[in-house]
Amino acid sequence: MPIRTARFHIGQIVRHRVYEFRGVVYDVDPTFSNSEEWWQSIPEDMRPSKDQPFYHLLAENENGPYMAYVSEQNLQEDESGDPVDHPDVEVYFATLEDDYYVPLPRVLN
């Protein structure tokens, strides 16, 4: 199965195409990498294909912050210019510059 290049990048602010939430990308899977149970819990008529990038988001909606896992087909760039109000933003990112979050440097073993 060919792997596509991810359309969105770590630090990019995105919003869901259907549901009213937005977030910042903090990780990307080249293809679906969650549980089968999670995938089956999505209504069949809305279930995305597994062979596309999936994004881990520090998300927010009117109920507050949470973590989300979203297929590429369901995301679009957020053009509001507003920061993401999630308490874990400072765990992953140093600052917000030009509508992108700059990742913190990580020490690799």
Side-chain angles (χ1 to χ4, degrees), residues 4-18:
R4 297 190 335 220
T5 300
R7 178 174 168 211
F8 304 107
H9 309 284
I10 292 174
Q12 189 170 0
I13 301 171
V14 295
R15 68 175 47 255
H16 198 279
R17 288 185 184 280
V18 178

Side-chain angles (χ1 to χ4, degrees), residues 31-96:
T31 58
F32 179 79
S33 186
N34 205 335
S35 70
E36 187 66 21
E37 179 182 21
W38 183 91
W39 191 73
Q40 291 290 338
S41 72
I42 301 169
E44 190 171 354
D45 63 328
M46 296 184 68
R47 198 174 295 151
S49 168
K50 291 182 180 182
D51 65 344
Q52 62 182 309
F54 276 74
Y55 299 84
H56 298 264
L57 305 179
L58 301 176
E60 64 177 353
N61 65 16
E62 62 189 25
N63 298 319
Y66 62 100
M67 306 272 229
Y69 190 65
V70 186
S71 64
E72 186 170 270
Q73 75 187 49
N74 285 318
L75 291 177
Q76 59 190 22
E77 186 174 347
D78 180 86
E79 297 177 352
S80 71
D82 295 332
V84 173
D85 186 21
H86 192 288
D88 289 342
V89 165
E90 64 188 30
V91 173
Y92 295 93
F93 302 101
T95 187
L96 179 61

